[in-house]
Amino acid sequence: MESLDAVLAAHRAYLLGWNIGEAGGPDLVTYRSDVPHPPLNGVLRVTGRTPQDALTEARRRLDGVPRVWWVGPDSDADAADGLVSLGAVEVARLPIMTVAIADTADAPTPAGLHIAETTDLDTFVPAYARVSGIPAEGVAAAIDREKAFAGDGTVIRLAGRLDDGRIVGTAVAWLTDGLLTLYFVGTQPEERRRGIGAAMTRAALDLAAGRGVHTAALTSTPIGEPVYRRLGFRTAGTFRLLAF
């Protein structure tokens, strides 16, 4: 099993792949995609800075875009509380979940669902945008950023389509340093409770295993956590998501 430090480094590397702004040094890591969706702009790490100094610098780098602060185990232990004292609001606590791929449970593919890698970003991005809450006016920017993605790992995008060609499930597999990290795992609202999300996750796990990857990780939303727990994922840490 990869260490939590490796999981956090992979998470930073993926979101920095969206960055077109100033990332800064390891003491204050920021990313800016200019997509009007808070999770795609923000602060990834705060160490060795006072909360006020971190806030002032982050505001300079991220002015004009909605954003979040991911304050997790790779930030100073008192960073979140310090930011809250300056007016930050905790918008979520998200578990960082990991699993040894060999220990995961099976998940059958629902009848009529066909999962395959896709490079058609013009249909793939709108599908995950609808589930993730990216506004319609931000979809074009998200497509542009996906096309120009600058991560130093491998991104594989999986689309789950029905027989009529509609994308009803998505998953992004981020492979770096022997680790799979999952993003944009989602099911269109009208197709939920059919096992599509579990099947998309299972397909990504199988793909990674076929490439010699042994560990998977993700940051879960409340709606996805029961699905991941059934597959075998367990909590290894927590992100406090903050916003001003």
Side-chain angles (χ1 to χ4, degrees):
M1 181 74 73
E2 295 290 333
S3 70
L4 182 58
D5 286 344
V7 171
L8 293 165
H11 176 71
R12 293 194 301 271
Y14 174 75
L15 288 175
L16 283 169
W18 288 79
N19 184 49
I20 57 173
E22 181 181 348
D27 58 336
L28 185 68
V29 183
T30 59
Y31 65 109
R32 178 180 183 136
S33 70
D34 279 355
V35 178
H37 181 55
L40 292 179
N41 310 277
V43 179
L44 289 166
R45 186 183 197 182
V46 184
T47 61
R49 285 193 180 231
T50 66
Q52 183 61 65
D53 179 52
L55 177 58
T56 299
E57 177 62 14
R59 281 179 167 164
R60 181 187 70 79
R61 296 184 201 170
L62 300 169
D63 182 54
V65 293
R67 53 198 182 265
V68 294
W69 294 64
W70 299 81
V71 186
D74 52 346
S75 289
D76 289 339
D78 58 353
D81 289 340
L83 292 165
V84 167
S85 73
L86 295 176
V89 174
E90 183 174 302
V91 295
R93 290 199 182 202
L94 302 181
I96 305 163
M97 307 184 80
T98 63
V99 70
I101 294 176
D103 296 336
T104 51
D106 194 18
T109 301
L113 181 69
H114 310 280
I115 302 173
E117 183 179 353
T118 183
T119 57
D120 180 6
L121 295 174
D122 291 332
T123 58
F124 182 74
V125 173
Y128 77 57
R130 183 178 179 224
V131 174
S132 303
I134 298 174
E137 62 271 20
V139 171
I143 292 171
D144 287 344
R145 291 305 313 131
E146 285 275 20
K147 289 179 178 178
F149 189 83
D152 57 0
T154 299
V155 172
I156 301 173
R157 302 168 180 94
L158 298 176
R161 299 178 186 270
L162 298 183
D163 292 332
D164 61 9
R166 286 185 297 126
I167 296 178
V168 294
T170 59
V172 173
W174 169 238
L175 303 175
T176 179
D177 298 321
L179 178 69
L180 163 69
T181 313
L182 286 164
Y183 294 91
F184 292 115
V185 179
T187 303
Q188 296 300 311
E190 63 274 13
E191 300 291 344
R192 287 178 180 157
R193 300 191 178 277
R194 294 182 51 199
I196 292 173
M200 297 301 302
T201 306
R202 180 72 259 174
L205 293 170
D206 291 342
L207 181 150
R211 297 190 176 211
V213 175
H214 302 295
T215 303
L218 52 82
T219 300
S220 178
T221 60
I223 194 172
E225 186 174 355
V227 174
Y228 302 131
R229 289 200 179 279
R230 286 194 293 270
L231 286 169
F233 284 84
R234 295 295 179 262
T235 299
T238 303
F239 278 119
R240 293 176 68 181
L241 258 62
L242 306 178
F244 283 89

